[in-house]
Amino acid sequence: MVSGYCKKGDLEMARVIFDKMPSKNLVTWTIMVSACAQKGLVDEAGKLFAQMKEASVEVDVAAVVVSWPHV
């Protein structure tokens, strides 16, 4: 659902669902970080990326590349 709302450009609803998820994996985090970065919400993307690391989600190179397409 998070991915679907992100694809439609509704980051607000995607974030609501994301925040309510009891557990998040690398894919879910990457979808949210990437969607924020693609919408130009770089500060929000950075905050989410930091939260992902704090949540002990193992970040791989693919997640970084997908999350930061404009770097």
Side-chain angles (χ1 to χ4, degrees):
M1 288 183 78
V2 171
S3 178
Y5 280 109
C6 286
K7 286 178 184 175
K8 288 183 158 220
D10 191 349
L11 293 182
E12 217 172 289
M13 184 55 80
R15 184 62 191 260
V16 167
I17 293 168
F18 176 82
D19 288 342
K20 289 182 180 183
M21 293 176 69
S23 65
K24 301 165 185 79
N25 61 23
L26 178 62
V27 173
T28 331
W29 279 102
T30 302
I31 288 167
M32 277 308 307
V33 172
S34 178
C36 288
Q38 288 175 9
K39 286 286 188 179
L41 304 171
V42 179
D43 289 341
E44 184 64 22
K47 288 176 188 174
L48 282 168
F49 193 82
Q51 290 173 3
M52 177 171 61
K53 290 184 73 175
E54 288 173 11
S56 299
V57 175
E58 184 129 356
V59 179
D60 61 10
V61 175
V64 174
V65 170
V66 169
S67 297
W68 301 100
H70 304 292
V71 175

